[in-house]
Amino acid sequence: MLKLFFLIFTFNYCAVRTDQNIPIVITTWRFANASIRAWDILNGGGLALDAIEQGTMVCQEQQCDTTVGYGGSPDEDGETTLDALLMDGKTMNVGAVGSLRRIKNAISVARHVLEHTKHSFLVGDQATQFAIQMGFPEETLTTLDSKKVWMKWHNEDNCQPNFWTAVTPDPTQHCGPYKPVKQTDRYEPRVMKVDRFNHDTIGMVAIDRNGDVAAGTSTNGAKHKIPGRIGDSPIPGAGAYADNAVGGAAATGDGDLMLRFLPSFLAVEEMRRGASPTQAAETAVNRIKEHYPIFMGAVVALSKDGRYGAACNGINEFPFFVGDKTGQQPRLHAVKYVSYTSRYLWIKI
C-alpha cells in the first residue's frame, strides 16, 4: 500500500509541473529596466514578491515616464504623492499605501504594511508616519521639473485641465477655490489622455519557480489631481490582483473610471472560469467600455501556468514586457485596439 501511494503521489506531482511557462513576469508599458530586474530575480530562483518589489523600485528610482515615483504628476497644490500595492497570491494578503507623502519608496512601504501589520491599506500623513517608524527616510518628492510643470499649469494655463465639475467659478476657465453649485446637466465623464507620459501606473504580475503569484503597482497618480485623490492603482482587484489558484492581472489607465469595475479581479475570475488570459483581459476592458465607451485603459493577465494576454481601449498601441524562460531578456509586446472590427491585434516587437 505504501508503494502504491508513493507512485500515485509522484505521478500527480509531475503532471502539475508539466509544460508550465514559469517563472514569468509581465509588466505594463515600456518599462524595460524594471522588467529586467524582476526577471533576473525570478530567473535566479527568487520569490515573486521580491521580483515585484525590486522591479517596481527601479521605476520609482528612475521616475519612469514621470508617472512613477517622485517628481512627477504634481497635484493641484504642486505636491507629488504616491500610491502603491503589493498582493501575495499564496496568502491572499495585501499591503497598500495611498496618497503617501514625503516617502520615495512607496512599493516597499506597501510591503511593510503587508508583512508587519494586520491592516491592508494606509493613507496620507499616517502612512508617512508608519513608513518613518519602519525606517524609511522622509524627504521631499518635489523636483525642479515638477515645480515647472505645476507653475505652467497654474499660472499660464489657468489650471487647465482639472478634475472639478458642478462648481463655481467655472472650472473649465478658472482656478479655485471652488464652491458647489447645483448640477442641472447630465454628467459626462472627462476623457483622460493616456499616452507615454500620462498613464499613471507600472503594474506587474509575477510567478516564481514555486508557482507562487504576486502582483503590484506603483504610481504618482493623475497629473493635477485634487489633493487626496486615490485612483485604481493601490486598490486590490482594481490596480492589480493575484491568486495562486488562477494567476494574476494588472490594470493601467483612467483610474477614476476603472476602479469602479475592479478589472484586475474580473480578469482573474474570468480565467478561473476557463477563459484564456487574452479573453479575460478583453472581458474586463469591455465591461468598462459598456458604460464608458471612450475610456482609456488596458489590462494584462497572466495564468498560473504562464500564459499571458492583454487588451486595451482608447489607446492606439499598448506596450508591455514579458520575461520568461523562452528568452534571455524580457521582450516587448504590444496590443492594438481596432474599433471598427472590435478585435485585438497582437504585435511582437
Side-chain angles (χ1 to χ4, degrees):
M1 291 296 293
L2 289 176
K3 183 180 292 186
L4 177 61
F5 175 78
F6 176 77
L7 290 173
I8 293 174
F9 175 79
T10 304
F11 175 78
N12 285 342
Y13 177 81
C14 292
V16 170
R17 304 298 294 184
T18 299
D19 298 326
Q20 290 189 332
N21 181 31
I22 60 173
I24 184 171
V25 61
I26 187 169
T27 308
T28 59
W29 302 104
R30 295 177 179 268
F31 297 146
N33 292 338
S35 304
I36 291 170
R37 177 59 179 152
W39 171 241
D40 285 346
I41 291 173
L42 293 172
N43 196 35
L47 301 177
L49 281 171
D50 293 333
I52 296 295
E53 181 184 14
Q54 294 296 319
T56 302
M57 281 176 60
V58 170
C59 254
Q60 292 177 165
E61 294 164 359
Q62 296 181 356
Q63 302 167 282
C64 285
D65 290 351
T66 70
T67 66
V68 180
Y70 70 100
S73 301
D75 64 18
E76 280 194 341
D77 293 336
E79 182 180 12
T80 296
T81 58
L82 306 179
D83 304 332
L85 163 71
L86 188 62
M87 183 167 184
D88 183 348
K90 181 179 180 179
T91 64
M92 304 304 292
N93 196 6
V94 169
V97 290
S99 199
L100 179 69
R101 307 176 71 188
R102 304 183 301 280
I103 303 291
K104 286 185 176 180
N105 192 355
I107 189 66
S108 293
V109 179
R111 185 161 189 178
H112 277 65
V113 174
L114 185 152
E115 295 183 339
H116 299 291
T117 80
K118 295 181 180 179
H119 298 311
S120 297
F121 204 157
L122 299 179
V123 298
D125 282 332
Q126 289 79 7
T128 301
Q129 292 306 310
F130 167 80
I132 294 170
Q133 189 174 355
M134 292 292 101
F136 292 86
E138 185 175 9
E139 51 194 322
T140 182
L141 303 183
T142 300
T143 63
L144 290 176
D145 287 339
S146 67
K147 280 185 177 180
K148 290 179 181 178
V149 169
W150 181 82
M151 290 181 68
K152 180 181 185 303
W153 174 80
H154 188 272
N155 299 335
E156 298 180 24
D157 300 337
N158 293 320
C159 301
Q160 305 304 310
N162 60 57
F163 293 87
W164 292 89
T165 184
V167 293
T168 185
D170 182 354
T172 65
Q173 301 291 329
H174 305 283
C175 296
Y178 303 106
K179 294 182 180 180
V181 296
K182 185 176 180 181
Q183 185 169 327
T184 56
D185 297 328
R186 181 178 180 272
Y187 170 65
E188 294 292 341
R190 89 283 179 267
V191 178
M192 174 182 172
K193 181 182 179 182
V194 177
D195 58 22
R196 181 181 175 188
F197 299 105
N198 192 28
H199 52 67
D200 298 349
T201 311
I202 178 174
M204 302 184 79
V205 185
I207 307 176
D208 59 32
R209 292 183 179 179
N210 300 320
D212 292 329
V213 185
T217 64
S218 182
T219 180
N220 52 40
K223 192 178 296 182
H224 310 309
K225 62 190 175 186
I226 298 171
R229 177 264 189 187
I230 294 173
D232 65 324
S233 299
I235 298 176
Y241 198 76
D243 185 341
N244 269 20
V246 182
T252 182
D254 190 340
D256 287 290
L257 298 182
M258 297 177 73
L259 69 83
R260 305 170 192 178
F261 299 89
L262 299 178
S264 295
F265 175 77
L266 178 56
V268 171
E269 290 306 297
E270 285 299 304
M271 288 191 291
R272 193 190 308 273
R273 288 158 49 92
S276 71
T278 298
Q279 292 169 335
E282 289 177 358
T283 296
V285 166
N286 288 333
R287 181 70 57 85
I288 305 170
K289 187 180 176 182
E290 290 174 9
H291 297 268
Y292 301 104
I294 59 175
F295 96 96
M296 294 187 178
V299 174
V300 295
L302 178 62
S303 65
K304 66 179 181 179
D305 59 1
R307 293 175 297 138
Y308 55 87
C312 65
N313 190 73
I315 304 174
N316 290 334
E317 181 177 296
F318 170 63
F320 59 96
F321 269 94
V322 176
D324 61 15
K325 58 189 178 183
T326 64
Q328 292 184 342
Q329 293 290 347
R331 304 171 312 286
L332 182 63
H333 299 261
V335 63
K336 284 187 175 182
Y337 181 70
V338 185
S339 59
Y340 59 83
T341 61
S342 298
R343 295 301 303 165
Y344 294 88
L345 300 181
W346 282 91
I347 304 171
K348 289 188 177 182
I349 300 175

